[in-house]
Amino acid sequence: DFDATKDKVSGKVKEGAGKLTGDESTEAKGKAEQMVGNAKEKLSDAKDKIAEKFNDVVDKSKEKKER
């Protein structure tokens, strides 16, 4: 997911900038942004798995009706 990757990369850059400049606030914001990206990625993966399971159930139901 592009949005999740964007958050993770942007967060990593902010974290690095914070470490480089000694700005703990920017470093913390970067870490938080990375966590948001990871959460979005996991949510997207879960949605994909749910959709896949749903489609499997629908396909099996159609197969039973065709018999």
Side-chain angles (χ1 to χ4, degrees), residues 14-61:
K14 284 181 186 175
E15 180 186 3
K19 284 182 180 179
L20 187 65
T21 62
D23 184 346
E24 292 178 1
S25 176
T26 299
E27 185 178 344
K29 287 177 185 176
K31 287 180 181 181
E33 197 167 336
Q34 288 177 72
M35 285 192 271
V36 168
N38 286 329
K40 285 180 182 178
E41 187 174 64
K42 288 178 183 176
L43 180 61
S44 178
D45 290 346
K47 285 175 22 181
D48 289 345
K49 286 180 184 178
I50 291 168
E52 188 177 310
K53 293 287 184 188
F54 177 78
N55 288 333
D56 288 346
V57 169
V58 170
D59 290 344
K60 287 179 183 177
S61 176

